[in-house]
Amino acid sequence: MPELPEVEVVRSGLASMVVGTTIRKVGVHHERATRRNVGDLAVQLDGAVIESVCRRGKYMWLELDRPFVLMVHLGMSGQIRINDSPSGHPHVRVDWTVTRAGEPPRYFEFLDQRTFGGMQICDRDQDGLPVAVSRIARDPFDPLFDVDAFAEMLTKRSIEVKKGLLDQHLISGIGNIYADECLWRVGLDGRTPCNHLDRSTAVEIVTTVTGVMSEALVAGGTSFDALYVNVNGESGYFSRSLAVYGREGHPCDRCGDPIIRSKFMNRSSFHCSTCQPPWSLP
DNA sequence: AATTAGCCCTGATTGC
DNA sequence: TGCAATCAGGGCTAAT
């Protein structure tokens, strides 16, 4: 399940392989994958030159020699592969040829089993930012991300802290996995209301989640079910290092008590009930 | 503006 | 064996 580190691995890998190439022969093989512009994606992209690959949180986009960008979201199961020949894989949703003068053509493939991901032509707002991300908050790796401002804003919210970490309008890039890992490291119950946190605790939360994601980025991304593959088709391996996520019943690395699985926001959460004691009204 | 519920989707797994 | 229910879950939309 790609979160910020996995998307960044894809972004940097993709950038190293396709910047300066021309997009041709775009094929759309699944309507949902192109969202709003099903019909004309191929027409608009044909002949475009990729100038750079950018990212905010879990959103990634290709800057083109066009007024618009191509926004890409990997969703739950999206992958991008660059191959020397078409793979013929049944999950290929969009593909095109990658051409550069003096080089043999290669093949860009966007694969997505669960079709929660996709790509679309996206205009820019007044600041030049793609409109699809103009309301998405900066992520912690953004040079302009303001830790203190985020901490202050967070402590004013009434929502539970895990919900705050997952809200891409407050801070972007964090998903279910890194939220749980962060809360375990801090020793905090994810159901604690944000407005009951000290400012210093809020700062600790954001520095911790940044640390967890930095480690994952170094490791090359996390993979659980082999659905995530980076741009070269290699699986990540940081999942071996996870302390709580997916480890129901296993002993906590810190205290040895079993990891508890529970439902939160209609999805699974994992925590240690000893290291992360239940929050209650003071 | 803040918050919440429902929906989208398919392959692996589990249950009867 | 076969069919159905369950699960994975981020983000979009509508409703409050």
Side-chain angles (χ1 to χ4, degrees):
Chain A
M1 302 121 202
E3 302 181 24
L4 188 154
E6 293 78 16
V7 178
E8 174 57 23
V9 168
V10 173
R11 187 209 64 77
S12 63
L14 193 58
S16 71
M17 300 179 84
V18 302
V19 167
T21 65
T22 301
I23 298 171
R24 292 202 189 281
K25 298 180 182 173
V26 178
V28 176
H29 308 289
H30 195 292
E31 282 193 0
R32 261 179 68 82
T34 61
R35 305 292 189 234
R36 291 173 182 80
N37 33 31
V38 173
D40 64 348
L41 184 96
V43 175
Q44 295 217 56
L45 282 184
D46 189 54
V49 176
I50 299 171
E51 296 181 336
S52 61
V53 189
C54 305
R55 182 189 56 73
R56 172 176 285 200
K58 305 172 199 171
Y59 292 79
M60 177 170 60
W61 65 92
L62 306 183
E63 298 269 354
L64 308 167
D65 62 342
R66 302 287 161 98
F68 53 81
V69 307
L70 181 67
M71 185 61 59
V72 180
H73 199 291
L74 299 175
M76 291 292 301
S77 51
Q79 306 172 6
I80 291 172
R81 299 183 189 177
I82 306 292
N83 304 320
D84 291 333
S85 58
S87 70
H89 195 284
H91 294 156
V92 174
R93 308 307 189 192
V94 178
D95 60 4
W96 65 66
T97 61
V98 175
T99 60
R100 181 154 43 198
E103 295 181 6
R106 288 169 293 160
Y107 298 85
F108 173 103
E109 294 183 338
F110 174 76
L111 300 88
D112 190 10
Q113 180 218 113
R114 295 176 204 168
T115 70
F116 277 24
M119 57 181 65
Q120 63 187 90
I121 301 296
C122 181
D123 293 326
R124 301 173 187 277
D125 65 15
Q126 294 176 343
D127 301 322
L129 197 65
V131 294
V133 296
S134 61
R135 294 191 172 184
I136 298 298
R138 294 185 188 277
D139 62 63
F141 290 178
D142 189 318
L144 295 181
F145 180 82
D146 188 330
V147 173
D148 293 322
F150 171 77
E152 181 179 355
M153 179 273 298
L154 191 69
T155 56
K156 291 176 179 171
R157 295 303 189 101
S158 62
I159 53 174
E160 296 154 307
V161 62
K162 181 170 178 182
K163 195 165 177 123
L165 290 176
L166 295 177
D167 189 337
Q168 305 299 301
H169 301 99
L170 306 184
I171 183 172
S172 67
I174 304 169
N176 204 26
I177 297 168
Y178 296 115
D180 276 3
E181 292 299 308
C182 165
L183 292 166
W184 177 81
R185 289 196 188 188
V186 176
L188 187 65
D189 180 357
R191 293 163 294 191
T192 308
C194 291
N195 56 15
H196 284 76
L197 299 172
D198 298 329
R199 178 78 67 87
S200 61
T201 305
V203 170
E204 184 186 357
I205 289 168
V206 68
T207 55
T208 300
V209 78
T210 306
V212 175
M213 293 198 296
S214 297
E215 292 170 24
L217 187 52
V218 169
T222 301
S223 175
F224 277 97
D225 47 13
L227 287 174
Y228 167 72
V229 179
N230 75 17
V231 74
N232 295 314
E234 300 161 352
S235 292
Y237 54 91
F238 183 70
S239 58
R240 295 175 193 167
S241 310
L242 296 177
V244 285
Y245 195 86
R247 300 191 68 234
E248 179 184 18
H250 288 75
C252 169
D253 289 343
R254 197 158 41 206
C255 75
D257 288 343
I259 299 301
I260 305 296
R261 174 179 178 165
S262 58
K263 280 287 180 186
F264 183 85
M265 292 169 68
N266 275 331
R267 53 205 51 161
S268 291
S269 279
F270 299 88
H271 75 285
C272 171
S273 59
T274 304
C275 297
Q276 300 167 263
W279 177 84
S280 59
L281 279 169

